[in-house]
Amino acid sequence: EILNGDASSIGKSSLGDYITEADAKKLLGRSTGWFHKMRKTGLLPSSKVGGKQYYRKQDIQKLFDSVFSGTLKNKTFQNAKS
């Protein structure tokens, strides 16, 4: 699982089942634009609290699992890179 690795890369602003976009970017090596596209296309639900985007860790895991299992077309995922 992608979120069970080195927890030292996750900041204190991530809470329980949620991770901030800033921490997710560090963990996954993706840009702000990539996360925006994932939200806009409905592939990654989020919540905005106090000006910060939060993602459920399980939603991030599901997105990556669907890409690597072939459920989600890799081309769709790749085109959403920034």
Side-chain angles (χ1 to χ4, degrees):
E1 294 189 1
I2 61 170
L3 297 173
N4 287 339
D6 181 13
S8 65
S9 65
I10 299 175
K12 293 180 181 179
S13 58
S14 293
L15 304 169
D17 293 335
Y18 291 85
I19 185 170
T20 63
E21 183 170 303
D23 289 336
K25 286 177 5 183
K26 289 178 199 172
L27 185 66
L28 303 175
R30 299 291 181 169
S31 70
T32 300
W34 182 86
F35 282 95
H36 175 75
K37 288 175 187 175
M38 293 294 103
R39 289 191 310 269
K40 189 175 179 179
T41 59
L43 293 173
L44 186 59
S46 71
S47 298
K48 192 169 187 177
V49 179
K52 292 184 180 182
Q53 292 288 344
Y54 286 85
Y55 303 95
R56 289 187 331 166
K57 292 175 184 177
Q58 69 184 36
D59 290 336
I60 292 174
Q61 187 67 53
K62 282 181 188 178
L63 175 63
F64 275 79
D65 289 347
S66 67
V67 169
F68 295 113
S69 71
T71 304
L72 180 67
K73 300 276 187 204
N74 283 333
K75 185 175 180 181
T76 301
F77 184 74
Q78 294 296 325
N79 286 341
K81 280 187 177 180
S82 283

